[in-house]
Amino acid sequence: MCDSVIEALHEAVGEQANQATFHGYMDECGAPFLRGTIARYYQKRGVDICENEVFISSGASDELGDILDLFDTTSPALVMEPAYPAYVDANVMAGRKVIHLSSGEYNAFLPEPEDVGADIIYICSPNNPTGAVFSKKQLKKWVDYANMTGAVILFDAAYEAFIEDDSLPHSIFEIDGAKQCAIEICSLSKTAGFTGTRLGYTVIPKTLERGNMNVREMWVRNRTTKTNGVSYIIQKGAAAVFSEEGQRQIKENIDVYKSNAKVLMQVFDALGIWYSGGKNAPYIWIKCPQGMNSWEFFDYLLNEIQVVGTPGSGFGACGKGYFRFSAFGETEDTKIAAKRIYDLLKK
Amino acid sequence: MCDSVIEALHEAVGEQANQATFHGYMDECGAPFLRGTIARYYQKRGVDICENEVFISSGASDELGDILDLFDTTSPALVMEPAYPAYVDANVMAGRKVIHLSSGEYNAFLPEPEDVGADIIYICSPNNPTGAVFSKKQLKKWVDYANMTGAVILFDAAYEAFIEDDSLPHSIFEIDGAKQCAIEICSLSKTAGFTGTRLGYTVIPKTLERGNMNVREMWVRNRTTKTNGVSYIIQKGAAAVFSEEGQRQIKENIDVYKSNAKVLMQVFDALGIWYSGGKNAPYIWIKCPQGMNSWEFFDYLLNEIQVVGTPGSGFGACGKGYFRFSAFGETEDTKIAAKRIYDLLKK
């Protein structure tokens, strides 16, 4: 984690040591200082979000489970495959019907809306595992579809900080009409190293209404009943991520991951292997070479060159025959792995 | 918060600063080092709980909301009144029927089981707000009742560290049969100052089964799907609470609260005002003097002597005409408040 965050965490621990600076129960929806900081982060990028539309969570994965409280168990959920497995599991566990929407090389793993009767629509962009990113035009189709059918989009923006192409949307709220149909769920795990420190945030616009209910107000009621908020210490550390210095420092880390991704992409380009992602995402999603299936390729890499990745079939049926490489590694390790992959597959 | 905890928190922040000591995603059910530490805390008190029966949470209030995922929405919940309002709210929000069981001076606010058809039974002992504590014999009746009817007891043990009477149970698992019917939810908020730092823990015995389902296994599945665990930093701080030095230090704090409670109890004894709690709990629950209702007494204290407490009517119908004083204050402030209360009411 970057120096600014570490410094802020130490400072917050110090405050908890003294009666005069001690912080007790937190605001259930998040500390105002952090909600305001994140609202300004949106505003700087031209997205008009205000402080009380921002909710602080213990992390995106936690929030993706919790937020389902807003929907009744008869609401079908649309999951675009391949997908992060927790989308499906959380709904199945709640007894909700899951509608799987396929994608593949034919649509660059960026499917268009189909009228399938879903009340909840999961969109993850930049995508885990495919690294594919919806354009504004593509996302607009989903927003229009949701507004037409009354569905709510759960937009997982965990990887937005990896986008480098200026034309691509970081937030669904860059799209007209999204404030009437979408909830955006964000993470600091991958961008600021908060995997084990735990903090995320969620944006629910005031204008999101369903069935005569204001969704933001329902979520305030849910949070004030079901939680006492996120640790003051961690919230203070998170605020440092959004400081000028913090942003500069996390950009340095992200640049390391991006250069890792480039090293891998060069290898797949040289080998003529189809892939998506890598440029605006920390994941590179390749088609397994030589007709291998996902697990065969996993075993092949592991046994032959001791390189590890994630079999695509773990992300649903559409992931069969694909494989996910991650850019979250040490530069040297990534270079070694890339060279071994090249030497193994060029034969 | 005590020195041991602050030291451990700083140390954990330091670990997150370096690649070599960095902790990423945590075990969803809790870090093994903390689960083991808490299991040993039970074992030392003669309660045989093992590491994987302990789950780490973001706090008891969060867990009391989350744990309801285990029950379907048609399961009625029994709440003994007066009660912590979140018990009722969390169930009402989920569409669950709430059965209110009254208590009062006639049973010292410690009601006996009544056959009301509940599937979930909330027991908070030492109680918030009444400070009343169930004896082993009284608790045994509830355990037998739950085992007879198939209900699950949610035992809120947030205040167990305030018990000084050796004959009173700190844990429901001191009662024979409880491992077949109870879940215990615990907090570090009041005992170790974790209100704003956030951490709690929950014990679900392996032997708890309902409808051919193993409840502990269901909770493992829930947690692994819906969360990525509690912050490493906070878990490391929490483990320090259970060290020998940590236990000594938090006992010092608790002793301060206990002496505050004594100061208040002496005043009510001198005034001949009925109360419960204070001895084995941080709350003193008094019958409002001079026939005042809860809010009249609140206004009277505030206007006449600038002393603040919590109107009993906020804890349900049975709390009408009662008032909760808290021992969580500065010693000097408590002494001043006690003197003012005495001077005001002795007239």
Side-chain angles (χ1 to χ4, degrees):
Chain A
M1 297 174 74
C2 72
D3 291 349
S4 294
V5 172
I6 294 293
E7 221 171 272
L9 288 167
H10 276 305
E11 206 180 298
V13 171
E15 289 175 56
Q16 294 300 71
N18 293 303
Q19 185 99 34
T21 52
F22 179 80
H23 290 76
Y25 285 122
M26 303 306 295
D27 283 302
E28 296 92 344
C29 301
F33 70 82
L34 182 55
R35 299 176 85 184
T37 296
I38 292 169
R40 284 188 293 279
Y41 175 68
Y42 275 92
Q43 289 156 12
K44 268 182 220 159
R45 296 183 308 185
V47 179
D48 186 27
I49 292 296
C50 73
E51 180 174 325
N52 59 12
E53 294 176 314
V54 177
F55 294 81
I56 308 306
S57 75
S58 294
S61 51
D62 296 59
E63 190 78 337
L64 281 162
D66 290 345
I67 203 93
L68 291 173
D69 279 4
L70 288 170
F71 304 94
D72 69 40
T73 51
T74 61
S75 302
L78 174 69
V79 174
M80 301 172 193
E81 290 205 337
Y84 178 54
Y87 299 159
V88 173
D89 295 347
N91 282 290
V92 168
M93 211 164 54
R96 218 171 266 114
K97 185 182 162 194
V98 175
I99 301 160
H100 301 269
L101 183 63
S102 300
S103 69
E105 277 175 58
Y106 58 94
N107 56 14
F109 288 99
L110 295 167
E112 295 213 345
E114 276 178 37
D115 201 3
V116 289
D119 291 333
I120 307 168
I121 298 170
Y122 285 89
I123 301 180
C124 177
S125 176
N127 189 268
N128 177 15
T130 68
V133 188
F134 280 102
S135 70
K136 286 185 183 169
K137 202 174 147 192
Q138 289 169 318
L139 219 44
K140 175 69 173 150
K141 285 188 188 170
W142 279 104
V143 166
D144 290 345
Y145 171 74
N147 279 325
M148 190 183 70
T149 61
V152 171
I153 294 173
L154 296 181
F155 190 77
D156 181 346
Y159 304 99
E160 63 84 11
F162 290 87
I163 293 175
E164 56 182 55
D165 181 339
D166 285 342
S167 72
L168 294 173
H170 287 248
S171 163
I172 195 165
F173 300 119
E174 295 177 39
I175 312 300
D176 266 358
K179 283 190 181 174
Q180 280 72 44
C181 67
I183 294 173
E184 183 158 296
I185 294 175
C186 307
S187 168
L188 296 182
S189 288
K190 305 302 172 59
T191 51
F194 270 65
T195 45
T197 299
R198 312 300 309 135
L199 193 128
Y201 53 97
T202 299
V203 177
I204 308 180
K206 282 183 208 160
T207 44
L208 177 57
E209 311 229 322
R210 284 296 177 272
N212 295 321
M213 299 284 269
N214 184 285
V215 176
R216 196 198 69 86
E217 284 167 17
M218 283 169 68
W219 193 236
V220 170
R221 187 177 163 212
N222 181 291
R223 295 293 83 189
T224 49
T225 305
K226 291 185 81 171
T227 160
N228 266 322
V230 172
S231 177
Y232 169 70
I233 297 169
I234 309 302
Q235 291 198 66
K236 178 121 183 201
V241 171
F242 298 94
S243 67
E244 208 172 309
E245 185 55 21
Q247 287 289 300
R248 201 190 54 69
Q249 290 171 1
I250 67 162
K251 191 169 178 312
E252 276 175 20
N253 284 335
I254 291 173
D255 287 347
V256 169
Y257 300 141
K258 288 196 152 291
S259 73
N260 289 344
K262 265 191 203 99
V263 167
L264 289 165
M265 287 158 74
Q266 279 162 4
V267 164
F268 300 127
D269 284 336
L271 293 166
I273 288 176
W274 186 95
Y275 66 88
S276 66
K279 187 159 186 274
N280 297 292
Y283 297 119
I284 301 169
W285 176 253
I286 75 159
K287 183 168 189 167
C288 297
Q290 301 160 20
M292 279 184 266
N293 73 32
S294 301
W295 279 104
E296 283 166 352
F297 188 58
F298 176 87
D299 289 337
Y300 185 57
L301 289 182
L302 182 64
N303 295 332
E304 297 294 324
I305 56 170
Q306 293 77 55
V307 165
V308 173
T310 310
S313 52
F315 301 97
C318 303
K320 283 183 185 168
Y322 292 86
F323 200 82
R324 189 189 79 174
F325 285 98
S326 151
F328 298 118
E330 291 294 289
T331 305
E332 270 320 296
D333 295 345
T334 304
K335 279 184 185 159
I336 294 167
K339 183 165 184 327
R340 287 187 194 167
I341 293 168
Y342 181 76
D343 291 342
L344 180 71
L345 299 178
K346 76 172 176 204
K347 294 183 278 193
Chain B
M1 298 173 74
C2 73
D3 292 347
S4 294
V5 171
I6 295 293
E7 220 170 275
L9 288 168
H10 276 305
E11 204 180 301
V13 171
E15 288 176 56
Q16 294 300 71
N18 294 302
Q19 185 98 36
T21 52
F22 179 80
H23 289 76
Y25 286 121
M26 303 304 295
D27 283 303
E28 297 91 345
C29 301
F33 70 83
L34 182 54
R35 300 176 85 184
T37 295
I38 292 169
R40 284 188 293 277
Y41 175 68
Y42 274 91
Q43 289 156 11
K44 268 182 222 159
R45 296 182 309 186
V47 179
D48 184 26
I49 292 296
C50 73
E51 179 174 326
N52 59 11
E53 295 176 314
V54 177
F55 293 82
I56 308 306
S57 75
S58 294
S61 52
D62 296 61
E63 190 77 337
L64 280 162
D66 290 345
I67 203 93
L68 291 173
D69 278 5
L70 288 171
F71 304 93
D72 70 40
T73 51
T74 61
S75 303
L78 175 71
V79 174
M80 301 173 193
E81 290 206 337
Y84 178 54
Y87 299 159
V88 174
D89 295 348
N91 282 290
V92 168
M93 210 165 54
R96 218 171 265 114
K97 185 181 162 195
V98 175
I99 301 160
H100 301 269
L101 183 64
S102 300
S103 69
E105 278 174 57
Y106 58 94
N107 56 13
F109 288 98
L110 295 167
E112 295 214 345
E114 275 177 37
D115 199 4
V116 290
D119 291 333
I120 307 168
I121 297 169
Y122 285 89
I123 300 180
C124 177
S125 176
N127 190 268
N128 176 15
T130 69
V133 187
F134 280 102
S135 69
K136 285 183 184 171
K137 202 175 147 191
Q138 289 169 317
L139 220 43
K140 175 71 173 149
K141 286 189 190 170
W142 279 104
V143 166
D144 289 346
Y145 172 75
N147 280 324
M148 191 184 69
T149 62
V152 172
I153 294 174
L154 296 181
F155 189 77
D156 182 345
Y159 304 100
E160 61 84 10
F162 290 87
I163 293 175
E164 58 182 55
D165 182 339
D166 285 341
S167 73
L168 294 172
H170 287 250
S171 164
I172 194 163
F173 301 119
E174 295 177 39
I175 311 302
D176 264 357
K179 284 190 180 173
Q180 280 72 46
C181 68
I183 294 173
E184 182 158 297
I185 294 174
C186 308
S187 169
L188 296 182
S189 288
K190 304 303 171 57
T191 51
F194 270 65
T195 45
T197 299
R198 313 298 309 133
L199 194 127
Y201 54 96
T202 299
V203 177
I204 308 181
K206 283 183 208 160
T207 45
L208 177 57
E209 310 230 323
R210 283 299 176 270
N212 295 321
M213 299 284 269
N214 184 285
V215 176
R216 196 199 69 88
E217 283 167 17
M218 284 169 68
W219 193 237
V220 170
R221 188 178 163 208
N222 181 291
R223 294 294 83 189
T224 48
T225 305
K226 291 185 81 171
T227 160
N228 267 323
V230 172
S231 177
Y232 169 71
I233 298 169
I234 309 303
Q235 292 197 66
K236 178 121 184 200
V241 170
F242 298 93
S243 68
E244 208 172 309
E245 185 56 24
Q247 287 289 299
R248 203 191 51 72
Q249 291 172 0
I250 69 163
K251 189 167 179 313
E252 276 177 18
N253 283 335
I254 291 173
D255 286 346
V256 170
Y257 300 141
K258 290 196 151 291
S259 74
N260 289 345
K262 266 191 203 99
V263 167
L264 289 164
M265 286 158 73
Q266 279 162 3
V267 164
F268 300 127
D269 284 335
L271 292 166
I273 288 175
W274 187 95
Y275 66 88
S276 66
K279 187 159 186 276
N280 297 292
Y283 297 118
I284 301 169
W285 175 253
I286 75 159
K287 183 168 190 167
C288 297
Q290 300 159 22
M292 279 184 267
N293 73 32
S294 301
W295 279 103
E296 284 166 353
F297 188 58
F298 177 87
D299 289 338
Y300 186 58
L301 289 183
L302 182 65
N303 295 334
E304 297 295 324
I305 56 169
Q306 293 76 56
V307 165
V308 172
T310 310
S313 53
F315 300 97
C318 302
K320 283 182 186 169
Y322 291 86
F323 199 82
R324 189 191 78 174
F325 285 99
S326 151
F328 298 118
E330 292 293 291
T331 305
E332 270 319 297
D333 295 345
T334 304
K335 280 184 184 158
I336 294 167
K339 184 166 185 328
R340 288 187 193 166
I341 292 167
Y342 180 76
D343 291 343
L344 180 71
L345 298 179
K346 74 171 178 207
K347 292 184 284 196

